[in-house]
Amino acid sequence: MKTITGAKMVVQALKDQGVEVVFGYPGGAVLPIYDEIFQQNDIRHILVRHEQGAIHMAEGYARSTGKVGVALVTSGPGATNAVTGLVDALMDSIPIVVLSGQVPTFMIGTDGFQEADTVGITRPCTKMNWLVKETEKLSETIHQAFHVARSGRPGPVLIDIPKDVQFATGSYTAPEKAKVSHYQPKVKGDTEAVTRLVEMMETAERPVFYTGGGVINSGKAASQLLREFVDATGFPITSTLMGLGAYPASGKSWLGMLGMHGLYEANLAMHDCDLMINIGARFDDRITGRVADFSPRSKKVHVDIDPSSINKVIRVDLPIIGDVGHVLEDALKIWKARGRKVNKEALAKWWAQIDAWRKVDCLAYQPSAATIKPQYALQRLEALTKGIDRYITTEVGQHQMWAAQFLHFDEPNRWMTSGGLGTMGYGLPASVGVQIAHPQALVINVAGEASWLMNMQEMGTAMQFRAPVKQFILNNERLGMVRQWQELLHGERYSHSWSESLPDFVKLAEAFGCKGLRVTDPKDLDDAILEMIRYDGPVIFDCLVEKHENCFPMIPSGKPHNEMLLSADAEAFRSGAVLV
Amino acid sequence: MSALNIKRGSSSHSAYDLRDSHAQAEESHTLAVIVENEPGVLARVIGLFSGRGYNIDSLTVAEVDHTGHRSRITIVTRGTPAVIDQIEAQLSRMVPVHAVHDLTAEGPSVQRELALLKVVGKGEARIEALRLCEIFRARVVDSTLESFVFEMTGTPDKIDAFAELLRPLGLKEIARTGVAALSRGA
Ligand SMILES: Cc1cc2nc3c(=O)[nH]c(=O)nc-3n(C[C@H](O)[C@H](O)[C@H](O)COP(=O)(O)OP(=O)(O)OC[C@H]3O[C@@H](n4cnc5c(N)ncnc54)[C@H](O)[C@@H]3O)c2cc1C
Ligand SMILES: Cc1ncc(C[n+]2csc(CCOP(=O)(O)OP(=O)(O)O)c2C)c(N)n1
């Protein structure tokens, strides 16, 4: 049988897995693989500027395409730089495969140059990881890794490959021959349970769909089924940060995002419902607030592919373990077969109640003619990109929440954000990854200046690979979200929440060779946004916004849904006070 | 409405709320976890327990199927019923885990542990130790004029009881294997 080197195997296995792009950074322990990459043209390599960037790019690539993202890093510091990205992908269930170089097998354990216990360090940061000590097993392990990354609840995996394993030869195992049999998570929901769900839906008086990232994970067909189901039943639907776009924001049953910074009507619907149908969401603490007071009068159904998500935080009445797409398909079928019943009268009352909550207009803010309000900037961005199939990534902070509130998503896979880990520095590299996957699309990273600085070196990658990403920085010269918490919860003691000594972003853009724009006056905003969209290349957009704006609504952590902080305007409306 | 009933300037309220644990009685459960015998599996299982704050009272592991490369990990853990459920679910979803059995929940089971106990002493104490050895059906596996090493197999409770009685008689060292367990019946 013909044998090939481990390094060749890596490239062959990636090709056989349909990989088109690898985000990576070379170093001593992966040089044999880089040598193979050099000698072929099927796989494109994107040279990043920091390994954390490579992982976030792979995440952005994966989330915007539904495919597995791939990154390649060297041993030691290369691998440790990848750790934040791995945990980010683990928390948000993003399928990525990371290949890391390792010192040769005979040096492992000797504190060799650039040796780190990569599988040890990344074990709790991955869904699964492997140290491959024999070339003979390398290709099969890579195929298994792809299978694990994309099956069941998706997640990051890592394969650590010692340098001698890359040099040595062995026989190649094709993907079809790889042993993946034992890891086959259940995708079909129990029919009895699904029927029970339908029964509950038929009689529910105040139902609500609470959907999450699992719908996106499940694929486009799942979003379609969700739309059909929601529209046919007329039930209201809210989604977590991770699930935005699965049901269109323009849809008639859409309540907006729920949770800590979610909409008033969405949170109150969750609090007061009698039937909560959780589809692919995990009762995160940013959703539940105080667990003991979470939606006290509802029956709760939870559809999730991961049994450990069930009853982890909230005890549910009806668990359905399975893939969202499969379960929705069955549920829809059963519901139709039983005569498409819903409690119409009660639903009408429920919607009347929801409409009353909507009147609070919880996203209202004090407009200003003098300074750009961040909410206004996003409203303008939304208006001026309407009709364009755009992709949005974000950094982490207030701007992220405003983006979730004010930008509307009508399709899945258009919204890439770091939810579970909340990784500042995610957005810029993620936007590059998205743009590499969709070269013609409009890709915008909605950023805060502090987050953006964390991985700004990746502008170099954007320039080199002609990724025309738009960096829309809402610059409040503050670590805004931290400042907000300090104002509301720490006695206005603003401990280290300033962005001091900021660079001149326009000059920085020039230094990178891209376009820089700065806007301070609301009057100039529209033209500048249009200029940004039209410019054929990367743009750094420095949008100087109000420095002390708070993001509302806000449910302080540990509070129940109905103890929500609203902006002064919305609060005045609700409490009946009249603002003159 | 001022939803935040926190005084301005108060620092006793952390912004980071920890979940209030529904105080419930803890139970001891014995889990049998069948895993692929590959490097790192044990570390993954142990890491799960330490990372998520679960207890391990006892843990044993050995390959039980040499051709299929399966190992059996027996874990004795403690927690509220909800925590035990979580542990089971968290273990089950691990890629190299083939099966998880809660032996405590699934019916009666046999639990055994092996212990080696070294007693150093002379005279009456030494004779008394030997007598206890007989009563507990332990075996002498090493003896000198001043010491015995007893081998004993039994439930952890029985070993505890034996060790407690030997303590005043010059118990110097104990080595225990941890619990191995199987369900009763076919
Ligand atoms: C500053 C900040 C503020 C935040 N505020 C909010 C907020 O106000 N509101 C909010 O919603 N979030 C907020 N978040 C995000 C929050 O921390 C969580 O990341 C988010 O709520 C989790 O979303 P999810 O429940 O959809 O779960 P995900 O993390 O997306 O998990 C998906 C769930 O679906 C399951 N699943 C995966 N694939 C499938 C499948 N094929 N079939 C079935 N099930 C599947 C998984 O097992 C998992 O349980 C905030 C984050 C930050 C950084
Ligand atoms: C890597 C990392 N460090 C610290 C934090 C904590 N944190 C959350 S939001 C935030 C401030 C973000 O500021 P900026 O990017 O300017 O966004 P803004 O909130 O002002 O919109 C900080 C420090 C984090 N989420 N990630």
Side-chain angles (χ1 to χ4, degrees), chain A residues 357-391:
Chain A
W357 287 330
R358 277 178 166 164
K359 293 222 172 66
V360 167
D361 190 12
C362 67
L363 297 182
Y365 61 93
Q366 195 71 59
S368 163
T371 55
I372 301 174
K373 289 290 182 127
Q375 301 96 321
Y376 177 72
L378 287 164
Q379 281 177 324
R380 293 319 300 157
L381 185 69
E382 169 69 19
L384 296 170
T385 57
K386 212 161 188 70
I388 305 178
D389 189 13
R390 46 138 226 238
Y391 292 76

Side-chain angles (χ1 to χ4, degrees), chain A residues 122-124 126-131 148 153 179 182-183 283-286 288 290-292 306-313 315 485 487-493 556-559 562-566 571 574-575, chain B residues 1-11 13-20 22 36 38-45 47 51-52 54 68 70 81-83 85-86 88-98:
Chain A
T122 61
R123 196 169 285 125
T126 51
K127 185 174 172 188
M128 185 61 192
N129 64 7
W130 298 263
L131 168 64
V148 168
R153 179 178 186 166
K179 206 179 77 191
H182 105 265
Y183 184 71
F283 292 111
D284 184 81
D285 49 84
R286 299 233 146 171
T288 60
R290 193 194 296 147
V291 168
D306 179 355
S308 80
S309 286
I310 308 275
N311 292 336
K312 179 168 65 182
V313 180
R315 277 203 99 58
W485 284 53
E487 178 186 332
L488 298 173
L489 295 139
H490 293 274
E492 297 177 59
R493 289 180 297 278
S557 29
K559 294 282 170 185
N562 55 354
E563 286 185 35
M564 196 181 317
L565 298 181
L566 294 174
E571 184 62 34
R574 191 174 53 154
S575 56
Chain B
M1 178 195 76
S2 170
L4 263 186
N5 294 321
I6 298 172
K7 276 195 252 56
R8 282 265 158 129
S10 149
S11 58
H13 284 82
S14 166
Y16 305 94
D17 181 76
L18 297 173
R19 229 169 260 147
D20 54 350
H22 301 278
E36 195 84 20
E38 57 188 27
V41 176
L42 187 60
R44 226 167 228 283
V45 169
R52 294 189 185 258
Y54 306 142
R70 298 288 156 82
V83 167
D85 283 351
Q86 257 301 298
E88 230 186 295
Q90 292 286 356
L91 285 168
S92 308
R93 73 172 182 147
M94 286 188 162
V95 177
V97 169
H98 288 268

